[in-house]
Amino acid sequence: MKSFVDEKSVVRKIWGKSDTILFIFAGASAEFALNKAVDWLYFTGKLPSDPIGRLFSTVKYAQRIIFLSSDDAHDAINSMRSIHAAVEQNRESTIPDWAYRDVLYMLIHYSIVSYELLEKKLTEAEKEEVYNVFYRVGIRMGLKELPATYLEWLPERESHLNENLKASKYTFDLFKQYKKHLGLFRYKVLIEVQKLVVPKSVKRQLYLSDFSLLSILIPIYKISRHLKIEAFLKNMLLPSSYKMEIKMLDSAIV
């Protein structure tokens, strides 16, 4: 049976490692908080009551799609769209198309940035490969106005950052919830990761500096993989209750 993403694709390498996925999660958590459509995530009450679980489930769902067969991936995407349609019906309003694109764009951006930070630079062809996978996800979801190529997407991504992100009461409440659910130490680690992966416009709105203490530790972390102590470092970002889920991310369980 044909896979949704080719088994030799760099996208599987990116989404087959928990540390990369955790960095994707960290970056997305910053942008989610600034997005003008974040009120939709507050509508069900799930985001403020469990922001870590809600955002973590989003990246886990993306990973699941990447490792499924084409037919199963299409079914999963259809199911995701149906869930959002139910929320729209309950609120008697429609989630704007640009909000869906924003989430897709986050996954593209943080996939590339996180992998390059923790592994190696991607070629232009590999970046195109990453974009194409999420482009196909977006098309399956029925999204409009998606750029056809990675190079065409770059200015579109910049436009979305400028137009769709704005600090609000939800921004400050979400970060308050992050600190509450993570604890002070892990919250500070989250902030340091965000400094490494978020775009400059996001840093500016969240008052994040360009320097991260983790920039010193990343080389040490890469060495730690060979010493088999990276699990300890991964647990620095998420609570111990996520230990098994983090382990499962490495196994690409579908």
Side-chain angles (χ1 to χ4, degrees):
M1 187 177 292
K2 184 180 179 182
S3 299
F4 185 68
V5 177
D6 187 88
E7 291 182 4
K8 295 181 179 179
S9 171
V10 69
V11 181
R12 285 198 172 208
K13 293 180 181 178
I14 294 170
W15 284 84
K17 291 188 175 181
S18 60
D19 48 6
T20 310
I21 296 174
L22 289 174
F23 273 54
I24 294 170
F25 154 79
S29 68
E31 274 197 51
F32 263 113
L34 286 171
N35 197 281
K36 290 181 180 179
V38 74
D39 60 299
W40 275 97
L41 296 172
Y42 268 76
F43 176 70
T44 62
K46 292 181 179 179
L47 184 62
S49 64
D50 183 19
I52 307 305
R54 178 66 178 80
L55 294 172
F56 196 55
S57 68
T58 298
V59 293
K60 284 197 302 179
Y61 205 84
Q63 188 204 37
R64 180 169 175 264
I65 289 171
I66 287 167
F67 285 91
L68 287 172
S69 68
S70 289
D71 289 345
D72 289 342
H74 290 163
D75 289 342
I77 296 167
N78 294 343
S79 174
M80 182 167 54
R81 185 69 196 205
S82 297
I83 292 170
H84 287 97
V87 175
E88 291 175 327
Q89 186 174 6
N90 289 335
R91 190 173 177 176
E92 298 182 344
S93 184
T94 303
I95 300 173
D97 204 58
W98 58 260
Y100 284 112
R101 290 199 300 273
D102 277 350
V103 175
L104 204 66
Y105 291 178
M106 285 181 213
L107 296 175
I108 296 166
H109 171 81
Y110 293 112
S111 292
I112 293 171
V113 172
S114 299
Y115 186 79
E116 290 193 328
L117 183 68
L118 295 172
E119 299 291 340
K120 62 183 181 67
K121 292 291 184 181
L122 294 173
T123 66
E124 291 303 307
E126 287 172 330
K127 291 177 182 178
E128 185 66 52
E129 203 174 322
V130 173
Y131 179 76
N132 180 259
V133 167
F134 289 102
Y135 172 81
R136 289 188 286 119
V137 171
I139 292 298
R140 185 71 188 185
M141 287 188 69
L143 304 188
K144 310 298 183 184
E145 301 178 17
L146 289 174
T149 68
Y150 173 74
L151 289 179
E152 291 176 10
W153 170 76
L154 288 174
E156 178 70 9
R157 162 69 170 166
E158 197 63 33
S159 176
H160 271 243
L161 288 171
N162 293 332
E163 295 175 9
N164 302 337
L165 301 185
K166 185 178 180 180
S168 67
K169 63 180 182 180
Y170 299 112
T171 306
F172 303 111
D173 183 66
L174 259 182
F175 273 86
K176 180 180 177 181
Q177 297 303 324
Y178 293 159
K179 180 184 285 188
K180 175 183 176 182
H181 287 80
L182 287 174
L184 182 59
F185 175 74
R186 287 191 173 91
Y187 175 74
K188 287 186 176 296
V189 174
L190 175 72
I191 298 300
E192 294 304 311
V193 174
Q194 290 175 346
K195 291 177 182 179
L196 289 173
V197 297
V198 302
K200 289 186 179 298
S201 57
V202 174
K203 286 184 186 178
R204 185 172 61 251
Q205 293 200 55
L206 293 176
Y207 303 102
L208 299 177
S209 66
D210 288 330
F211 175 74
S212 169
L213 291 171
L214 290 182
S215 61
I216 302 171
L217 297 177
I218 293 297
I220 301 173
Y221 176 74
K222 291 180 179 180
I223 296 173
S224 77
R225 290 169 171 169
H226 302 291
L227 300 177
K228 306 299 181 184
I229 62 171
E230 79 274 15
F232 168 75
L233 298 175
K234 289 173 186 176
N235 291 334
M236 288 173 60
L237 185 56
L238 287 182
S240 57
S241 57
Y242 286 87
K243 184 177 180 179
M244 185 55 67
E245 292 188 70
I246 294 172
K247 186 176 181 180
M248 289 173 67
L249 290 176
D250 281 316
S251 304
I253 295 174
V254 297

